[in-house]
Amino acid sequence: MTGRPFLPYGRQDIDETDIAAVAEALRSDFLTTGPRVEAFETEFAAAVGAPFAVACSNGTAALHLAMLALDIGPGDRVAVPSVTFLATANCARFVGAEVIFTDVDPATGLMTPDTLRDALDQASPGPLKAVLPVHLRGDAADLPGLSRVARGAGAVLVEDAPHALGSEVDFGDGPRRIGDGRWSAAATFSFHPVKTIATGEGGMITTADEGLAARMRRLRSHGMERPIGADPWLYEMREPGFNYRLPDILCALGQSQLKRLPAFAARRRDLAARYAVALAPLAPHVRLASTPDWSRPVLHLLTVLIDFEAVGRRRRQVVEALAAEGIGSQVHYIPVHAQPYYVQRYGPLDLPGAAAWYRRCLSLPLFPAMADADVDRTVEALSRALGLE
Ligand SMILES: *Cc1c(COP(=O)(O)O)cnc(C)c1O
């Protein structure tokens, strides 16, 4: 055991400017809905190049609000990649819709136009309303390709983008930012502490559709509306909503963190480049997950694909050996279609790309406060754990 602090696979970076911003909010007149909500939304929209942004209590609420605002309900279908966090699939179930699990490319972990088409061909009939690509690790899915397949089936894209804040794409029409509303009806973000910016709990939805933004804003606060020019006490409700508000205190933290996003992104890119160099000698047994041509990611996760069979080690041994050297790692993700709830609902599914990804994936520490030497010691510990020195 070394005396060095434990390196988690990801963690927040809170500095004195963040603390000062929260303290200022605490001293103000507003703890929940106040001026910082709209300010954070405006600044976030500008940061990703989106016309509108709606803040909400977390990334799961963001997905739920998107489903509600798109009028997705019982009998409808929503397609999601199996390699993602539970919430991507669960949001369809929140509104009574059925989930169509798509396979992923085993080199990237991403839904592709082919895996989407295959899943739709095999799905039981019913209206497809939305396709939810996940920009796993921060690399963007093929948005124009997926949008074409989705549109052909009468559906829109909703990007589940918590991993891709700051990521850019170029699909041949110049650089764009993830979440700008070019290809999708909406994109959702999370500010959980391991994500690229943190508010503790927090979420955001970006969209180019003003009506959708207004409806999500209503639905995050009970469906209440104040008619313009009405009596001061009056509010109206046309559909029931939720309490999915993001408090002013957390919006203050979000604003402060967002100012630091360029520095966070640059540091994540530097660390990822250093990992790429350090990991190269471990090929072909260890490879970084692939980055598609169009993707210029700010990686949220540094995921390697390990051929455990070829090196004769089990993943659990490797995870434990890393932990013994003070290094955290994590598996992103257990394919969601294999969760007991979904097996019970849809039966066992054969998604070989997701299975291959799951067999090999391991996420290593990546967060802005890491030192270059942390990358080196992580890769050294990994090669020892795999017997590849
Ligand atoms: C983090 C995450 C979510 C959920 O966000 P919360 O803020 O934790 O609710 C949803 N989808 C993906 C892909 C995520 O990484």
Side-chain angles (χ1 to χ4, degrees), residues 269-284:
R269 284 190 163 131
D270 283 351
L271 289 164
R274 192 173 183 93
Y275 264 115
V277 172
L279 287 164
L282 305 191

Side-chain angles (χ1 to χ4, degrees), residues 58-60 63 84-85 87-88 134 160 162-163 190 192 195 202 333:
N58 56 63
T60 306
L63 288 163
T84 183
F85 183 57
T88 320
V134 175
D160 189 18
H163 298 188
S190 161
H192 180 278
K195 308 288 162 82
Y333 291 97

